[in-house]
Amino acid sequence: MRSNLGKWAWLGPAIVIVGAMLRSGSDDPVMVGVLLAMLLAYGARQLYVRRRTRKRRDRQTGAYGLWWGRVWRIYDGGLWQPRGWIGAAFGNKSVAVSLQATADGLAFIPSRFAQWCHLPPVELAWTEVAGAYLVGSGRVMPDGTFSLTKQARVCIEVVGDRLTDMFRPLTDDEAEQVSLSAEERRLVDQEALSFAREAFGPGYRFGARPLLFITDDPAGVVELIKGRARGRLATSEPGLVVNIDGTGDGGC
């Protein structure tokens, strides 16, 4: 697998931005210089990470692929504990990671800075992964910030012990506690599913905790994960029907 950094993808937008400022006749050359320096630093970092990723891939043994990108902190599939004071202080909304697919599962290796912020490498076994799909792509990030390169959003479906109540249908006990009829229960579950699909796309399935992986080159990652995933979605809730193999209409 190739590394996932477009070699010169950042250069086009950078030239357009700087050219527009120069053409507008800006009388602040310092500002233009600062912006140009920031863009060049960003491009240099892209090339450095690309080279480092290529070297790491060459040293891999028993791996099926390596990608570089970011995991959105709010939707990290339960990989790490909630942010502590260090993460809150620096406002890290996402974590730079390398994603490595091996025979055992998916290994998420944070950047050195993220590991310094107490986010250790984590591996998801294939039995904890039910599948993956492409949510969409664009230059606007989930928090509204803008990327110089086109970014793809890949949703990895995490199951097992990392699943939380907000990503599954109501259980029989929960429905009985609030005295919901079968139809009311179905409507509640359907509303929750519709809300989740607004955030994670129409491919989202109840019973999976979303892990949002953002990368500018998703080549092969979805197909590989779908082919090796062994996790199963939770079943037996009558409000929304999900087949044991994870297929089904989710009650729609």
Side-chain angles (χ1 to χ4, degrees):
M1 296 287 181
R2 57 180 174 170
S3 79
N4 62 317
L5 287 176
K7 191 171 183 179
W8 303 108
W10 62 275
L11 190 57
I15 294 175
V16 171
I17 293 174
V18 175
M21 291 191 64
L22 294 174
R23 187 178 179 84
S24 65
S26 174
D27 55 356
D28 191 352
V30 175
M31 181 62 67
V32 175
V34 170
L35 179 60
L36 181 59
M38 292 174 61
L39 291 171
L40 290 176
Y42 178 81
R45 181 180 180 277
Q46 291 263 47
L47 296 177
Y48 164 74
V49 174
R50 180 186 177 90
R51 181 180 179 185
R52 185 184 64 182
T53 303
R54 187 187 302 113
K55 289 183 176 180
R56 288 182 54 187
R57 188 178 66 249
D58 293 339
R59 293 195 301 265
Q60 282 182 315
T61 57
Y64 298 100
L66 179 65
W67 296 267
W68 186 90
R70 308 189 74 85
V71 169
W72 211 250
R73 194 66 178 89
I74 299 178
Y75 309 119
D76 62 5
L79 293 181
W80 300 288
Q81 295 295 323
R83 291 185 299 173
W85 68 269
I86 295 181
F90 285 97
N92 57 332
K93 297 180 180 179
S94 61
V95 181
V97 300
S98 60
L99 171 60
Q100 177 177 323
T102 69
D104 298 323
L106 293 173
F108 294 84
I109 304 174
S111 66
R112 294 177 182 176
F113 176 77
Q115 292 188 44
W116 178 77
C117 292
H118 306 290
L119 296 178
V122 179
E123 183 173 61
L124 287 177
W126 288 121
T127 54
E128 296 182 86
V129 181
Y133 61 91
L134 183 64
V135 179
S137 60
R139 297 182 185 273
V140 180
M141 296 293 97
D143 65 341
T145 56
F146 184 79
S147 172
L148 292 178
T149 58
K150 191 174 183 180
Q151 302 288 317
R153 303 184 191 183
V154 176
C155 184
I156 301 173
E157 299 173 307
V158 180
V159 295
D161 295 339
R162 300 178 192 273
L163 186 64
T164 61
D165 293 347
M166 66 181 298
F167 298 112
R168 62 164 177 78
L170 293 173
T171 63
D172 293 337
D173 291 340
E174 290 169 341
E176 290 178 1
Q177 288 178 2
V178 291
S179 302
L180 293 178
S181 65
E183 179 61 19
E184 290 173 334
R185 178 179 177 180
R186 188 190 69 81
L187 292 176
V188 170
D189 285 341
Q190 184 58 56
E191 182 179 358
L193 179 60
S194 299
F195 179 79
R197 285 178 172 170
E198 289 181 2
F200 309 114
Y204 174 76
R205 303 181 294 176
F206 239 172
R209 184 171 180 174
L211 191 162
L212 197 58
F213 178 64
I214 303 177
T215 173
D216 61 2
D217 186 358
V221 64
V222 172
E223 292 76 11
L224 187 145
I225 293 175
K226 290 173 64 176
R228 295 192 170 273
R230 296 293 179 267
R232 301 293 182 90
L233 299 184
T235 59
S236 77
E237 289 85 358
L240 292 173
V241 179
V242 181
N243 298 332
I244 190 66
D245 61 356
T247 62
D249 60 4
C252 297

